[in-house]
Amino acid sequence: MNMKKLFLICLCFYVSLAGFCQKIDVTSLEINADLGKESYQDRAKKYLSTYKLNDNGELEITSYLQVGDTKEVMYNNLINWIVSSCTEAATAILYENEEEGRITTRCYFGKIANDGKSKPKEWVDIRPTLSVEVQDKEAIMKFILPGFEVMKQGEDEATRGFMGSGKGFCFTGDETPKEVTVWPIAQCYPYNSDCKFSKTTCYMAYVHAIECYKILKQQVLNAGYKTIRKKK
């Protein structure tokens, strides 16, 4: 194990768990989506022509970003951002290679959607992977989402716990809890018109998942333009 990985493990151990989750929930994602007079179904069908599934049936979005710093600075900024938002870096970071400028990590967005109708409600979490390859002044970002993690809970139950039943965003090494049902995105609306899952839940989860991608993209850009002060 290299020194950087050991440092990450130690740092994540000492940061309090409450500090990991950034506030991203159904309400904030609804505001970001800014549907106006559109329905979630309308917006989802618009996105369908832009965001495609890969050969494995996963939602895969690749962005080519112009950033404002060197490969070395960008890489270190990304590592710092991941560490400050992780539960355990040793398992959250799936791959890292400073020489290549590549980092792959697993993300967690809790309670990004619910159908608002069924009782108990269908609460949706997502656990996409984020891969970033950085070079001087540029970065290639890849967001991959295999499906939705759905748990049926009442309002009170949904506020309990952290991973698997929490709200917010973090990088995580935690696996999908056994009590949830995974809906493969290729089997969900809008990609599958014969979907057996709840239509309203699928459309909201899909639109909000795209908003989560946009948030990650902006965070990568922010890291790319963050300047580390040099000592005098």
Side-chain angles (χ1 to χ4, degrees):
M1 181 181 295
N2 60 40
M3 291 301 294
K4 177 169 286 186
K5 184 65 69 88
L6 181 61
F7 166 76
L8 293 175
I9 295 171
C10 294
L11 184 57
C12 279
F13 179 80
Y14 286 107
V15 177
S16 67
L17 197 62
F20 291 133
C21 261
Q22 298 177 18
K23 181 175 172 54
I24 296 172
D25 54 18
V26 174
T27 302
S28 62
L29 291 171
E30 285 177 344
I31 293 170
N32 288 353
D34 191 21
L35 294 179
K37 294 182 179 180
E38 285 184 308
S39 66
Y40 276 102
Q41 183 172 344
D42 294 334
R43 180 64 60 84
K45 288 182 177 180
K46 278 187 178 180
Y47 283 158
L48 187 60
S49 62
T50 302
Y51 302 109
K52 307 295 184 180
L53 302 183
N54 61 23
D55 292 340
N56 296 321
E58 304 163 317
L59 175 62
E60 181 173 326
I61 309 173
T62 302
S63 297
Y64 298 86
L65 310 176
Q66 298 300 309
V67 296
D69 230 317
T70 64
K71 174 182 175 180
E72 180 181 7
V73 170
M74 176 69 174
Y75 188 90
N76 288 329
N77 286 344
L78 284 172
I79 286 289
N80 291 336
W81 167 50
I82 291 168
V83 168
S84 68
S85 306
C86 75
T87 54
E88 186 182 347
T91 50
I93 297 177
L94 306 177
Y95 180 81
E96 62 153 329
N97 188 305
E98 187 170 2
E99 184 176 350
E100 296 175 356
R102 293 183 181 180
I103 306 169
T104 300
T105 182
R106 184 186 293 109
C107 309
Y108 171 83
F109 291 86
K111 302 296 168 282
I112 69 162
N114 69 74
D115 67 348
K117 296 179 180 179
S118 64
K119 293 184 179 180
K121 288 185 177 181
E122 294 174 336
W123 294 90
V124 180
D125 301 343
I126 59 172
R127 213 174 296 261
T129 57
L130 172 70
S131 296
V132 184
E133 179 181 348
V134 295
Q135 300 296 330
D136 289 349
K137 306 296 183 181
E138 63 182 8
I140 301 172
M141 171 185 154
K142 187 172 292 186
F143 172 95
I144 298 177
L145 178 64
F148 304 125
E149 299 179 6
V150 183
M151 181 181 290
K152 292 188 177 183
Q153 294 180 314
E155 288 281 3
D156 293 338
E157 294 175 297
T159 61
R160 299 173 190 166
F162 180 66
M163 298 310 301
S165 61
K167 298 180 180 181
F169 157 73
C170 62
F171 293 101
T172 179
D174 293 349
E175 299 297 331
T176 302
K178 293 180 180 179
E179 60 267 27
V180 309
T181 302
V182 177
W183 296 358
I185 198 164
Q187 297 177 21
C188 294
Y189 297 105
Y191 293 107
N192 185 352
S193 58
D194 294 324
C195 177
K196 63 181 181 180
F197 306 121
S198 169
K199 180 181 291 188
T200 54
T201 303
C202 284
Y203 284 134
M204 176 182 279
Y206 176 65
V207 171
H208 285 184
I210 299 298
E211 293 305 319
C212 291
Y213 149 74
K214 292 177 181 179
I215 289 169
L216 287 175
K217 179 179 177 181
Q218 187 58 55
Q219 290 291 328
V220 172
L221 283 169
N222 291 347
Y225 282 96
K226 181 180 179 181
T227 301
I228 297 177
R229 292 184 180 180
K230 295 181 180 179
K231 294 182 180 180
K232 294 182 179 180

